């Protein structure tokens, strides 16, 4: 057997450039831009559909393109009957991220463009996926609670539709604006774990549904998208700002990971935190529930002092979703309803200029040894 010189490697691929992209840039110094536009300028002004169009097509839409794109998404929201029936077969305690992953996988069988990885087919399928990922979440949630899905209201934007399809109430404009901003903050983040999983799957020339199924499975983990669900559990456990310090000290002494803190790329703060913190403060005032933000701020101060670690977007997303009326199990699906735009843009970019993603590993197992013969 030949041997190879041991190569250098980076655990967790930290710092490794694994591909090129023109979709998104994460600046380690707390910046984020989509196709050259700074999220800080655009996040609380643009609608999610504008941002999704930008991610998919490379440019912002003009008024006609925007109207068409919005209408195309709204027209694709209804799930095939069989997919709805499948959701009814899932056990009632199925996590909405598992239901979503299963639903996306099943949707593939209903798309006539399934085997077509061309740019145009991928954009068509992306529009369907953006529309239907949201429906899988909202209708899946109602079905899980023993309720019927609500009739579509195609005049609603994706942000407003998310509220409406859960409880039947069309939200006030300020809530829709807030949801657009939240969706914009979550829409893409270059080679994060779920997007990378989607690109690896796409690089085998598996289709966009397979890639988004991989991404949904990857997003659920608590070190990635699942952190926003775990953060809310943590805040509920802490309960009041005055209990924060004692709680944190105990956790750190036990070497526990504190959800909503740390990031692989950002070391001086997460670019999305200031906007999410502002939304949390605004909601806290409106709802008379300012204790959640106070706990988060105390955690930020103490984590900086004790560990030199900054908060990430999921810390403030947790109380934001809670105060908007969503149960913690919906936190990661909310993230998915937005990130699906980024996943689809990345899969399209991967297919447009594909090379199989297949790294090497460093073998650390036993040296070559002789097979001793069948078991005796
Ligand atoms: N709580 C406590 N300690 C943390 C921490 C956290 N949230 N995040 C990182 N650390 C510590 C690590 O224990 C490690 O300490 P050590 O050097 O003494 O072992 C050090 O900081 C470096 O962390 P590391 O695990 O190497 O960072 P990473 O880049 O591999 O991981 C995350 C990044 C995001 C997975 C990690 O910060 C984490 O688990 N955060 C909590 C989950 C979360 O909020 N995820 C959402 C990300 S947007």
């Amino acid at each position: 057997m030949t041997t190879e010189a041991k190569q250098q490697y980076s655990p967790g691929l930290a710092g490794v450039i694994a591909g090129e992209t023109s979709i998104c840039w994460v600046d380690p110094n707390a910046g984020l831009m989509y196709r050259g536009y700074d999220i800080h300028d655009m996040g609380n002004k643009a609608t999610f559909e504008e941002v999704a169009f930008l991610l998919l097509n490379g440019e912002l839409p003009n008024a006609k393109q925007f109207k068409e794109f919005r209408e195309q998404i709204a027209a694709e929201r209804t799930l095939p009957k069989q997919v709805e029936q499948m959701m009814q077969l899932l056990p009632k305690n199925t996590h909405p991220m598992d239901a979503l992953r299963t639903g996306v996988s099943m949707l593939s069988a209903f798309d006539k463009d399934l085997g077509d990885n061309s740019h145009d087919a991928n954009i068509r399928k992306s529009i369907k996926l953006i529309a239907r990922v949201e429906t899988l979440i909202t209708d899946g949630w109602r079905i899980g609670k023993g309720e019927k899905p609500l009739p579509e209201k195609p005049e609603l934007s994706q942000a407003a539709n998310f509220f409406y399809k859960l409880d039947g109430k069309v939200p006030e404009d300020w809530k829709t604006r807030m949801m657009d901003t939240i969706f914009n903050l979550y829409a893409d983040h270059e080679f994060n774990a779920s997007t990378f999983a989607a690109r690896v799957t796409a690089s085998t020339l598996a289709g966009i549904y397979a890639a988004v199924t991989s991404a949904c499975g990857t997003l659920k983990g608590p070190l990635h998208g699942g952190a926003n669900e775990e953060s809310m559990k943590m805040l509920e456990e802490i309960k009041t700002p005055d209990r924060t310090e004692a709680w944190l000290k105990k956790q750190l002494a036990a070497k526990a990971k504190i959800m909503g803190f740390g990031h692989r790329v950002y070391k001086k703060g997460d670019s999305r935190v200031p906007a999410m913190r502002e939304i949390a403060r605004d909601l806290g005032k409106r709802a008379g529930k300012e204790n959640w933000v106070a706990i988060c701020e105390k955690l930020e101060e103490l984590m900086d002092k004790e560990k030199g670690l900054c908060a990430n977007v999921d810390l403030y997303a947790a109380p934001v979703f809670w105060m908007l009326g969503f149960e913690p199990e919906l936190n990661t699906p909310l993230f998915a309803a937005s990130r699906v735009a980024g996943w689809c843009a990345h899969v399209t970019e991967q297919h447009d200029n594909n090379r199989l993603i297949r790294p090497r590993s460093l073998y650390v197992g036993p040296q070559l040894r002789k097979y001793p013969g069948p078991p005796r």
Side-chain angles (χ1 to χ4, degrees):
M1 189 190 234
T2 55
T3 56
E4 286 179 303
K6 281 200 174 178
Q7 311 266 336
Q8 272 209 327
Y9 94 111
S10 176
L13 301 183
V16 170
I17 303 291
E20 290 180 321
T21 182
S22 56
I23 299 167
C24 173
W25 182 54
V26 175
D27 178 352
N29 295 316
L32 176 61
M33 84 190 179
Y34 299 156
R35 304 266 191 198
Y37 293 101
D38 188 340
I39 192 65
H40 298 111
D41 288 344
M42 186 173 54
N44 62 1
K45 298 185 194 84
T47 59
F48 172 64
E49 282 85 345
E50 270 175 87
V51 167
F53 185 99
L54 172 70
L55 293 172
L56 287 175
N57 298 294
E59 295 296 337
L60 285 165
N62 61 31
K64 181 170 173 283
Q65 289 167 325
F66 175 65
K67 182 172 176 291
E68 275 170 13
F69 189 68
R70 244 189 87 152
E71 287 169 359
Q72 283 166 347
I73 293 178
E76 293 290 355
R77 286 189 186 130
T78 308
L79 299 176
K81 232 3 300 105
Q82 294 91 326
V83 175
E84 198 183 306
Q85 284 163 352
M86 178 281 290
M87 302 288 274
Q88 275 153 359
L89 294 176
L90 291 174
K92 293 290 170 238
N93 60 355
T94 302
H95 192 282
M97 281 306 293
D98 295 321
L100 173 63
R101 190 197 62 241
T102 308
V104 170
S105 177
M106 188 170 174
L107 278 178
S108 66
F110 294 86
D111 198 315
K112 65 176 176 36
D113 282 342
L114 182 62
D116 185 350
N117 291 340
S118 67
H119 183 89
D120 290 351
N122 274 340
I123 297 293
R124 279 200 298 281
K125 288 184 277 189
S126 299
I127 289 170
K128 281 191 190 172
L129 275 160
I130 291 169
R132 293 182 184 183
V133 158
E134 185 162 300
T135 313
L136 284 168
I137 297 164
T138 55
D139 291 11
W141 181 257
R142 286 185 68 85
I143 290 167
K145 301 270 172 239
E147 289 161 9
K148 284 207 169 86
L150 291 158
E152 297 296 341
K153 278 192 189 287
E155 67 278 18
L156 296 181
S157 67
Q158 285 296 94
N161 187 61
F162 197 96
F163 290 99
Y164 161 70
K165 284 300 293 290
L166 284 171
D167 67 4
K169 291 186 204 126
V170 175
E172 297 99 310
D173 288 348
W174 67 265
K175 271 194 186 172
T176 303
R177 177 58 263 168
M178 222 172 237
M179 188 61 96
D180 270 313
T181 305
I182 294 165
F183 278 174
N184 292 346
L185 293 174
Y186 269 128
D188 197 35
H189 220 220
E190 51 119 302
F191 278 29
N192 61 90
S194 57
T195 303
F196 189 58
R199 288 192 79 130
V200 170
T201 303
S203 82
T204 69
L205 296 184
I208 197 166
Y209 286 92
V212 173
T213 305
S214 295
C216 287
T218 310
L219 187 71
K220 188 188 174 196
L223 297 190
H224 186 18
N228 60 14
E229 180 177 339
E230 296 304 315
S231 296
M232 196 60 225
K233 290 182 195 156
M234 168 183 83
L235 298 180
E236 283 186 301
E237 205 178 304
I238 298 174
K239 278 194 183 71
T240 54
D242 58 304
R243 287 165 42 97
T244 311
E245 187 158 7
W247 181 91
L248 184 66
K249 287 221 158 112
K250 204 167 146 202
Q251 298 297 315
L252 291 180
K255 304 239 173 288
K257 279 266 172 87
I258 311 303
M259 291 295 131
F261 281 89
H263 198 273
R264 175 57 64 75
V265 181
Y266 297 123
K267 298 299 174 200
K268 295 185 181 164
D270 180 329
S271 60
R272 303 159 297 180
V273 162
M276 197 62 94
R277 196 195 284 113
E278 250 343 283
I279 294 176
R281 283 187 185 138
D282 182 357
L283 276 172
K285 283 195 195 107
R286 286 174 190 268
K289 291 180 183 161
E290 291 174 79
N291 63 322
W292 298 124
V293 173
I295 298 172
C296 293
E297 285 175 335
K298 188 79 193 154
L299 280 171
E300 280 200 271
E301 179 201 317
L302 294 167
M303 280 295 278
D304 183 33
K305 198 164 88 190
E306 300 284 332
K307 300 280 294 180
L309 286 172
C310 300
N312 62 54
V313 69
D314 292 324
L315 179 70
Y316 284 96
V320 162
F321 297 159
W322 184 240
M323 290 188 279
L324 281 171
F326 303 115
E327 291 194 30
E329 277 200 333
L330 276 170
N331 290 4
T332 314
L334 256 152
F335 181 164
S338 157
R339 181 61 58 86
V340 62
W343 292 335
C344 289
H346 279 271
V347 171
T348 304
E349 184 178 62
Q350 183 70 37
H351 279 162
D352 285 352
N353 189 15
N354 191 54
R355 186 156 192 224
L356 178 74
I357 299 173
R358 200 298 189 193
R360 292 296 313 277
S361 61
L362 189 62
Y363 179 69
V364 293
Q367 291 303 302
L368 188 64
R369 48 187 167 160
K370 203 168 160 37
Y371 172 59
R376 269 176 281 132

